[in-house]
Amino acid sequence: MTQFYGEHTRLLVSVDCIVFGFEEDKLKLLIGKRQMDPGRGEFSLYGGFVGIDESLPDAANRVLRDLTGLDKLYIKQVGAFGNIDRDPGERVISIAYCALINVKDYDDNIRNQHGLEWVNLENMPKLYSDHNIMVNKAINMLRRRINTEPLSFNLLPDLFTLTQLQHVYEAILGEEIDKRNFRKRIKTIDFIEKTELVDKITSKRGAALFRFNKRAYEDDPNFKL
């Protein structure tokens, strides 16, 4: 700390992480009950205060790593939330981040340690402070980006069926998609590759498994679906 700006009031800055997963054809949100005052016992997103030696992305990634045990997650800043009365405990400005994970990659032991649970987005309860607003802004951001960024693959396993991919889109957009047109568009995207493997678990007749070729996308990062 320096001697500068001593005449100004100091504020607290936090990050709140909006973690989405996808399971059973539903978009899910990771929430828990607050373990501190104010708002103890209320459903809440998971977050933390920004350290003196941290950038905002560093703080968000630290929180997510502590929360999930996972690194290199898809993460995007949603926005800043600074209403004067948003936190009854102190004057806190929060920066919200959205993260996408494959539910199967998340160790349930870590989730239970934090007292967290997955809830269907459509059944989201009342959350602490302005966290519902954060979640709604995050889903609107995903809806704007999903057709121009390959973000949906972060919610899926490495190998997936086209039906699973379509259901991810439908879960995020909140509407049904025409199957024939969807698959027709998928065939025009070079970095969504069909493998020789077949899924016989979720499909009785056996459905072809596909994968997202990240290297091919990075060589030519043009995506429009």
Side-chain angles (χ1 to χ4, degrees):
M1 301 293 289
T2 70
Q3 73 275 23
F4 302 111
Y5 313 125
E7 70 276 18
H8 297 286
T9 302
R10 298 189 185 277
L11 307 176
L12 295 173
V13 179
S14 68
V15 291
D16 282 299
C17 294
I18 306 154
V19 182
F20 291 118
F22 178 75
E23 191 175 40
E24 299 174 345
D25 298 339
K26 299 288 186 180
L27 192 63
K28 295 179 178 278
L29 175 69
L30 194 64
I31 60 173
K33 291 189 176 181
R34 280 176 65 86
Q35 304 297 314
M36 65 177 72
D37 294 318
R40 186 183 297 272
E42 294 183 30
F43 282 113
S44 171
L45 299 174
Y46 195 90
F49 290 104
V50 179
I52 192 69
D53 58 349
E54 287 183 311
S55 68
L56 292 173
D58 286 346
N61 280 302
R62 168 180 55 80
V63 168
L64 286 168
R65 191 163 47 249
D66 178 52
L67 176 67
T68 66
L70 302 173
D71 285 307
K72 298 180 180 179
L73 296 175
Y74 173 93
I75 180 173
K76 292 289 184 182
Q77 188 180 122
V78 175
F81 297 80
N83 283 353
I84 294 173
D85 59 351
R86 65 172 302 275
D87 192 315
E90 188 58 83
R91 181 76 169 96
V92 181
I93 294 174
S94 181
I95 313 300
Y97 282 85
C98 172
L100 305 179
I101 69 173
N102 175 19
V103 172
K104 300 299 183 184
D105 290 338
Y106 186 16
D107 188 339
D108 262 355
N109 290 325
I110 297 177
R111 180 181 62 79
N112 290 328
Q113 287 172 14
H114 290 286
L116 300 170
E117 60 183 282
W118 290 108
V119 297
N120 290 342
L121 186 64
E122 58 194 24
N123 298 327
M124 178 175 61
K126 173 69 174 68
L127 303 178
Y128 174 74
S129 184
D130 50 8
H131 289 187
N132 287 85
I133 298 174
M134 293 180 181
V135 174
N136 288 334
K137 286 198 173 186
I139 190 63
N140 285 332
M141 180 189 75
L142 294 180
R143 286 170 178 166
R144 292 193 302 270
R145 292 173 177 264
I146 193 170
N147 289 323
T148 56
E149 294 182 21
L151 57 86
S152 56
F153 304 105
N154 296 281
L155 295 164
L156 291 168
D158 292 337
L159 296 174
F160 53 86
T161 67
L162 292 186
T163 297
Q164 289 174 314
L165 181 59
Q166 180 175 337
H167 287 164
V168 167
Y169 272 78
E170 291 175 334
I172 291 176
L173 294 172
E175 59 186 30
E176 292 187 4
I177 298 173
D178 181 80
K179 178 179 178 180
R180 182 179 297 179
N181 288 336
F182 181 80
R183 296 191 174 207
K184 183 178 179 180
R185 294 198 299 270
I186 289 295
K187 290 180 180 178
T188 67
I189 301 175
D190 293 337
F191 48 78
I192 301 179
E193 298 178 338
K194 184 178 181 180
T195 72
E196 296 179 355
L197 302 173
V198 175
D199 172 28
K200 294 184 178 180
I201 297 176
T202 61
S203 173
K204 293 181 180 179
R205 292 189 297 175
L209 287 167
F210 290 73
R211 66 184 168 209
F212 170 58
N213 188 328
K214 186 176 181 181
R215 180 175 295 179
Y217 170 73
E218 290 174 346
D219 288 341
D220 184 18
N222 293 309
F223 182 82
K224 187 173 183 180
L225 184 61

